[in-house]
Structure formats: structure tokens, C-alpha cells
Amino acid sequence: MKRKVVSFIIMAGLIATMAGGCGTTGSSESDETSNEKKEEAANEEETTSEGEQIISFWKSSDATDGWYEEKIEEFNEQNAGKYKVEMEVVASSGTFSYDDKVSAAVTSNTLPDIMMVDGPYVSTYAENELIIPIEQYIAAEDKEDLMPGALQQNTYDGQLYAYSITESSVALYYNIDMLEAAGIKMRTPEAPEDALTWEEFEEIACALTKDDVVGTNIILDKGEGMIYALLPFYVSAGTNLISEDGTQATGYFNNEAAYEATEFLNNLIQNGYANVDPIDNEFANQKAATMISGSYQLANAESWDFNWGVTYYPIKETGAEAASPNGDWVFTITSSSDKPEAAAGFISFICSKENCAENAKVNSKIPARSSVMEESEEWEKYPNSIFREELLKTSHARPSTPVYATLTSEFSNGLFDIFSGADIQETLDNAAAAIDKEYETVYGK
């Protein structure tokens, strides 16, 4: 096991467990005998009938569990006598979470053949050699059919390591009734590059903040939702938080552009235009007049008791880069798999155009394939078209770096420190230094 795997930090507990595993430099005869028995048992479980091999597959529990069961049954029927996919659905929260299971499997070398992972962590898994490049197993036309942000997210060090079935995006929702009551006519941008500027966004937030209503909601949660939803402010300002090769945060995370984006977000909080602790469903309950939020909100919109609209993600100023979030859980093949071609065959099957479209509807998400989006009448019409256009034109994946867990944690914690009064530049400098230290400690030569 490589030294850098010791600090593989998808979760804090993983560090300790892997450090213990790497501390063993030898094994006793009884250990070897035990391992041989385990290997024999595993081989027996791998084969259900002569020539039929098991393809193990893990996914985090969500609304698509039943859909996957049906599709796996279909795949297994098509490949009877050759391959059989066995799915294990793992709770994504609670005492035995998905990350807990991955952590334990890494230390015991029991990862499945196929594992779904959260998109921004592809780089971490890839750098630590827990997943393998899959480009040689995926048809070129399928790779090219991934939407730009999905392709960016799934690529590390120039190689494709993952494949997507669904995508996500974020835009600006607004309460039309509140705007009209305030005498404000919302400008309707015709394209992402014509989006509301930060100044226009702040003016609207200011005008609509009154009594017990704030002008906007910018906080999805106090964890990963921060960098997912707010990164485009930084991209539009001119920075991506870390160098392109994922090795250096200083000069990116704490540069002038990062300061400007952070200052803008902080002003929304300090001026009372947004709450640092939003109430539940703040926009839906008409306690926030606008909100930066995801495409998944469209599934809830039918229950909103007011007129609403959605427009493109704000840009810093006219002519600035237009950017929008993207990302979702993706399919990977682990380095533990001894049947990568078969595993890739299942991934190609489950992520086919037809299945991509079906899965997105079941999960109230967006298809990850450009061809499916372009052919879909549903995503061609407003308001869905806002997210479609963003994904095809302006989607920007979260930073690709093996120390992503540290980067996203520093981003979230740093912003909340700033919202609580901490100095902006000092906080950004300290965060950048912490990210660089983590990279140098684990991956530095």
C-alpha cells in the first residue's frame, strides 16, 4: 500500500484505520493460512454456476434503489451464465454510512468491482489508486456524449476514471409576487453570459429585505453544499481555488479574485440580505425572496403558493465568465476488480441513453448525456431550459485535487468564520496554507 493512501481523507475516521493497516510489515504463518481460506471462500462466492461470475456493485441509497433492482435483473437475464451483478445498497447517513463501509473495505481489501462515488472525490480515489481509468472500456461516442461538466468532473490527470448517469445544476429562483409588490421588474437574461450581475443581484436582495423576509438564500447546508453552490462566484471573479493540477492553493484560494467573491457573499450576510442560518424551506415559505439553489427544486415547485421564476446563475459583471455548478454520484471500477471489462459492460448498460433518461426522471435529476438533454422536450422548455443551457454551456466542476476533502472543508469552515466576523484575507490565507500543507504532507516528494 502506498504511503499516500494512509492519508486518504474521504472521511476523518479513514485516516486512523488506514494508518493502522499500513503499520503491518509482515504476517505470521497462521495469518497467511487465514488469508488463503478467505480467498478460497471469496472465489467460491464469486461463481454462482459454471462460468457465471459475480460483479459486485455498491451504491448509496436513494429514490432509484427499486429502479436499479429492475435494471440489474434485466442485465443479468441478458448475461445469464456469464455474469451476474449483485447490488448492495448502503445507507448514506447514520451509524453505518457509505463512507464508513468504503473505509472498512479499503483496509480489508474488499472493495466491490463497481462503486458509485460522489463526483468531486473522483480525483482522490484516482490519485490513491483505488479506482482505475476506464477510457479503454468505454466507447468513444459514449465518452463524448457526457456533458462538459460531467466530463471535467470524471477526468483526472488526463484520464477518464468515472461515468455519470445524472447531473445537477444551480440557478437563481425568485418570487415574482414579491418583486411586483416592491415595484421591481426583473430583467430577463437571454443567455447565461447575459445573467444578472452581482450588483443587480445585490440590489434586488436589498430591495426585498424587509420585516421578517430576507432578500436571498445562499446557503444550501453547512458542508459540501457550500462549495457546490457558491464556487461559480469565484470562477466568475476569475479564480478556481486551486491550481489546475490540484497541487497548490496559495495564489488561487486566497488571491484578489477570491477576496472579491468572498467579500460579496459576506456583504449579503452582514447587510442582513441573507441569513447565515436559514429557516427550513426559506424560499418555499416566503421568508426569502430569492434563492441560489438546485434543479431538484423544480420537483417541489408545484407546491409553492406563489408565482415564481428562475434565471441563470449571476455573473460578476458584464463580460465576466459565466459559470454554474454541476456534479452527482458517478460509477467507477475499483482497482480490486479482476473483471474490469465486464464491470464496464454493466456501466455502459446502466448509463445507456434510455436508462439515463429513465433514471433522471425517477430521481428528479438531469440526464448526464448531452444527446439525451438535446433530444428531450422536457428540458427544452422553461424553466427546465435554464438548467439545460447552463449544463451545456457554463457548468464548472468542483476543483480536481486529491486533497479535495481538505479544500471543501476549509472553504465551508472559512466562509462561516468570515460570516461570524473573521478577517477575510487572513482566513483565506490560512485556509490556502492548510490545503497546501495537506498536499505536501501526503503527496509531496
Side-chain angles (χ1 to χ4, degrees), residues 394-429:
T394 67
S395 60
H396 195 95
R398 280 158 281 181
S400 178
T401 173
V403 291
Y404 180 79
T406 300
L407 184 144
T408 184
S409 176
E410 290 292 337
F411 182 87
S412 177
N413 293 338
L415 272 184
F416 282 109
D417 286 345
I418 290 166
F419 293 162
S420 297
D423 181 78
I424 294 177
Q425 191 62 59
E426 182 180 355
T427 302
L428 296 180
D429 288 343

Side-chain angles (χ1 to χ4, degrees), residues 79-92:
N79 293 275
K82 187 177 180 182
Y83 297 113
K84 180 181 180 182
V85 172
E86 291 188 351
M87 177 178 69
E88 183 170 350
V89 177
V90 184
S92 57

Side-chain angles (χ1 to χ4, degrees), residues 277-289:
D277 291 304
I279 66 170
D280 290 341
N281 300 312
E282 198 169 49
F283 181 75
N285 290 324
Q286 300 193 68
K287 295 299 181 181

Side-chain angles (χ1 to χ4, degrees), residues 1 5-8 13-23 103 106-107 130:
M1 188 178 292
V5 180
V6 177
S7 293
F8 174 59
L14 189 54
I15 301 174
T17 58
M18 294 190 70
C22 290
S103 170
V106 169
T107 62
L130 296 177

